[in-house]
Structures are given as C-alpha cells and as structure tokens.
Amino acid sequence: MSTPSASSASVKHHVYSRVFWLSYLANVSLVMANALTFKFADFVKYLGGTERVAGTIVSAGVVGALLARLLLGQAIDTYGTRRLWMLSAVSFVSGGLLFACAGSIAWPIYVGRILFTVGLAGMFTCSMVHIQNQVPVRRRTEVIASLGSSGFVGMIAGSLLGDRIFNVLPEGHARFMVLFGIAAALGLLYLLIVFAMTRGDVHQRPHETPAAHQLILRYWPGSIVLAAMMMGVAFTVYSVFLTRFVTSREAEGHAVHGIGTFFTGYAVSAFVFRLMTRNWSRTMGRHRMVLIGLGGHALACFGLPLVTADWQFLLPAVLGGVGHALLFPGVVSLGAGAFPQEYRGSGTTIVLGFTEVGAMLSAPALGAIIEEFGFVAMFHAAAWTSIAIGVVYAATGARLPDADLLPEEASPAVPQPAAVAPRRVEEAVTECCGAKQ
C-alpha cells in the first residue's frame, strides 16, 4: 500500500485533513470534466450515429475499463497508488483530446472512449484507495461519503457549463471541440493536483500480489456486487441517454431545453443528503442505505418519462440524488471491506468494476430498447431492474451482520489485515441462497 508522507501521517486519524481537501478539489475537477461528456450521445448523433451506436461506443469503453481493471488493482498493490493515479489521469486527458479531434464514427472515437473510461475508472479507484488509507477503519464509510459530495459540486458545474456551451455556440463541430477540450484541461488540472498531493508518498509492496480473479474467489464480496451493477445501469441512463430524451422532448415542442436542471437538482439533493446522512452507516447501517438507494433510483426512472418541462425534472432528480448519496458509499464500503487492507486497492477496483459491468451490459441493451420501444420503455426497464436487485439483496446480503453497527470497542481503530478471514466460494454460495443469518 502507499504510505502517506510525514506531514500527512501526523493527521492520519483525522478525516478532514489537507489530503482530504486536496482530494476534494481534484474530484470536483474530475466530475466536472466527466459531466461535460454527458453530451456524448448528442455528439454521436451529430456524427451520424444512432442511440444503438452510442450505446455500443459507451459499452466498448466500459469493456476496455473492465479489462484494465483486471490489472489495475494488482498494479496499485504492486507499484503504488501514486503511479497508477497519474497514469490514469494521462489516459483520461488523452481520451478527451481524441473526442475533440474526432470527425466521424471511426476508430479514433472508440479509442478515445476506451482511454477516457479507463482513465476515469483508474482515477476514481485510486482516489478511493488513497483516502481510505488515511482514516481509521470505522470512518471509511464516512470519508467515502464526504469525499463523494465533491462529485455533486462538479456535476452541477459541468452539466450547467455544457448546456451553456450548447446555447452560446452555433450547431457544428466547434461546440464539441470546446466541450471536450475543456474536459481535457480539467483532467490536466486533476493530474497536477495529484502530483502535488502525493509527492512525498512512498509505497510498501505486499509480500504477495494475487491476480484479480484469485482475490475475487478468495474474498468474494457477495450480492453487494448486484447493487454495484445497478449503479452502472442508473448512471448510464442519466449520463448517456437522458440528453437524447431531452432532445426528443424538445423536438416534440415541450418546454425542455437541457439536462442542467436535472443534474443540478440531482447533485444538490445528493450533496445535502450525503452530508445529512454521513453517519448513517453507524446508526441505520449500510444494508438499509443500499436498499433505500436502490429504491431512489427506481422511483427516479419511473418519474423521468413524465417530464414535459424543465421544472418537472426536479422530483426525479431529487429521488435519483438521494439514491446516489446512499448507494455509493454503502456499496464501496461493504464491497471493499471484504478485502484486507493490503489488498484494498484490488478490492476497491473489483467492486467499482462491477459498476462498469452494469454499464457495459446496460448501455447497448437500453439503446436497443429505445430504438424498438421508445424512451418510456427504457426508463421502466431500468426501474424494474433496480427493484429486482433490491429484492435479491434484501433476501441475501442484507441479512448478514454489518460491522459498522458493532460497538466501537469491538472494531479495531486501524485495519488489521491478519484478522480478516478469507471468504471462500462456498460461503458466497451460502449467502446467495439466503441460508446465512
């Protein structure tokens, strides 16, 4: 694992340290850059592609990220968070620049999407690994939640800026060059912050660095991976196809003019709710957080087809924001917590990888549903998927004890890898069958 420098080691057990706030600033710039690419489906349409083509390109990027994840976690454990973090940022910036230069549906846009998605996956993973290693084990969920609130700030800024660029610049390639050029510049800013923040870090390589598939079998996180997959489905709906839904509503003569209203409401509600509930993992428990989060996404997807004016985005936006606020920290904490600290990089990578599995499977499927049956059917399919996953999780993973609800004296102040018992495949089968109480 990577060891903080001497200056940051003195505040290791303080959540809101200099490292936290630099991570916060970096994450704002990253999510703002990513939010600018929520217009990607419009870009594909401009180049002559369809919803199905947009879904296929997005899916190709996710496949690339998943393949990279097979090596990413092991690489973090072997070479340290800092090196992989900066390499991921370079990949992200390269993808943004390829978007800005793409002039047709050809190999550069596929390569750009792969580089962009691989970089994004690596940057988020390294950020989560790094910040978790700064705090006591019982405050991991809280710090994940608190750092995650920065993403909502970036989401508001990025989606509003994207709408502004589209409103100011005339139709044509220039608006997309500006859009993706700014995204690449924000990625470069992120790289500089990470370089400065981790400059004094050193890395201690563990005695063993198993491959991802070996760790999955040894420390299987259980049915929480289904909830992780649903996060990928939900964000595919919001970040890829919502902009096309808005365009179709506008073409029908409805008073819908952009995605900024939705993402502002989504991000504000998620930010406020995240701060209000950052201690729920120790009071209500992470399992309930996951179930409520799945319900929030389902209700948001049921509400989106009813929108015919900008202000009507607010209710589904709030419901989706609440779902995100609760689901992300619960999923990452429960999933990554199944792995010892010496393999926390791989564990976090694996859990977030299941989010991308959800995106990979859903992007082309949802695009095909839109082409065959329309946007309403697509939203309903996503909603019922969330409900089905909630039912499965309630009957399996949610029945297991939650370590965050144990008395403080029963939990170690610092992660103890040696005390973590490996979870074998037979235990995972028992859990999925609901026999484990």
Side-chain angles (χ1 to χ4, degrees):
M1 76 194 81
S2 295
T3 304
S5 61
S7 60
S8 61
S10 64
V11 294
K12 181 175 176 63
H13 295 295
H14 297 285
V15 173
Y16 305 107
S17 62
R18 170 182 172 273
V19 171
F20 173 85
W21 291 113
L22 284 174
S23 300
Y24 199 96
L25 177 60
N27 212 42
V28 169
S29 66
L30 173 59
V31 178
M32 184 176 176
N34 188 42
L36 288 173
T37 68
F38 291 172
K39 302 283 191 183
F40 185 77
D42 282 327
F43 181 48
V44 173
K45 188 71 173 179
Y46 165 76
L47 295 178
T50 64
E51 267 68 47
R52 194 189 298 262
V53 171
T56 300
I57 295 173
V58 169
S59 185
V62 176
V63 170
L66 283 171
L67 293 175
R69 281 195 185 279
L70 294 176
L71 302 175
L72 177 61
Q74 189 176 18
I76 291 174
D77 295 333
T78 303
Y79 301 107
T81 305
R82 185 174 193 262
R83 292 181 183 177
L84 273 297
W85 208 350
M86 292 193 293
L87 184 61
S88 297
V90 170
S91 178
F92 181 89
V93 172
S94 301
L97 292 176
L98 278 176
F99 289 160
C101 298
S104 63
I105 304 293
W107 67 265
I109 196 170
Y110 284 89
V111 172
R113 189 72 198 189
I114 292 170
L115 288 172
F116 182 88
T117 309
V118 167
L120 187 67
M123 292 155 84
F124 274 126
T125 299
C126 291
S127 178
M128 290 293 106
V129 172
H130 189 260
I131 201 64
Q132 287 180 81
N133 287 337
Q134 310 298 313
V135 300
V137 64
R138 281 179 55 82
R139 302 195 71 182
R140 285 191 302 109
T141 307
E142 177 187 344
V143 77
I144 292 169
S146 298
L147 179 61
S149 68
S150 63
F152 306 132
V153 177
M155 189 180 296
I156 294 171
S159 59
L160 290 176
L161 178 59
D163 280 352
R164 182 63 177 169
I165 290 171
F166 263 51
N167 291 333
V168 171
L169 296 179
E171 291 187 13
H173 196 72
R175 57 163 53 164
F176 292 108
M177 290 184 64
V178 172
L179 197 74
F180 298 130
I182 293 175
L186 288 168
L188 181 60
L189 173 63
Y190 182 99
L191 174 61
L192 295 175
I193 294 172
V194 170
F195 176 81
M197 178 174 57
T198 62
R199 186 166 47 188
D201 287 9
V202 295
H203 177 65
Q204 297 175 350
R205 179 174 178 173
H207 68 281
E208 180 188 11
T209 54
H213 71 278
Q214 295 175 319
L215 289 173
I216 291 175
L217 294 176
R218 190 183 304 176
Y219 304 105
W220 175 247
S223 58
I224 192 66
V225 301
L226 295 175
M229 291 173 67
M230 185 58 215
M231 290 197 302
V233 175
F235 213 63
T236 298
V237 171
Y238 305 146
S239 65
V240 178
F241 295 115
L242 186 61
T243 184
R244 297 297 306 137
F245 171 71
V246 168
T247 301
S248 70
R249 279 288 194 258
E250 191 171 12
E252 293 169 359
H254 296 295
V256 180
H257 306 295
I259 59 176
T261 301
F262 174 83
F263 282 105
T264 299
Y266 184 98
V268 169
S269 63
F271 180 88
V272 172
F273 205 74
R274 177 71 60 82
L275 296 180
M276 290 172 57
T277 62
R278 65 183 183 274
N279 295 321
W280 275 20
S281 63
R282 302 196 299 272
T283 55
M284 176 181 290
R286 292 174 291 178
H287 296 316
R288 290 183 181 177
M289 290 171 62
V290 169
L291 292 172
I292 295 172
L294 290 170
H297 282 308
L299 292 174
C301 289
F302 278 131
L304 283 170
L306 305 177
V307 172
T308 57
D310 283 340
W311 67 270
Q312 293 173 355
F313 273 126
L314 293 177
L315 181 57
V318 169
L319 292 169
V322 169
H324 187 138
L326 293 176
L327 197 57
F328 183 83
V331 166
V332 174
S333 180
L334 283 164
F339 299 81
Q341 186 181 10
E342 58 186 349
Y343 302 129
R344 188 63 46 75
S346 293
T348 303
T349 299
I350 289 166
V351 173
L352 293 178
F354 278 101
T355 299
E356 287 157 357
V357 170
M360 177 191 69
L361 296 176
S362 65
L366 294 175
I369 290 173
I370 293 171
E371 289 191 9
E372 295 294 331
F373 307 105
F375 285 98
V376 174
M378 182 272 291
F379 287 127
H380 285 184
W384 284 110
T385 300
S386 188
I387 291 171
I389 289 175
V391 170
V392 172
Y393 186 72
T396 55
R399 298 173 63 185
L400 299 175
D402 184 353
D404 276 19
L405 293 176
L406 294 175
E408 187 163 0
E409 57 271 16
S411 298
V414 178
Q416 301 291 333
V420 180
R423 300 187 64 209
R424 305 294 179 182
V425 175
E426 56 266 25
E427 292 180 275
V429 173
T430 301
E431 174 192 328
C432 288
C433 292
K436 198 169 183 179
Q437 299 298 320

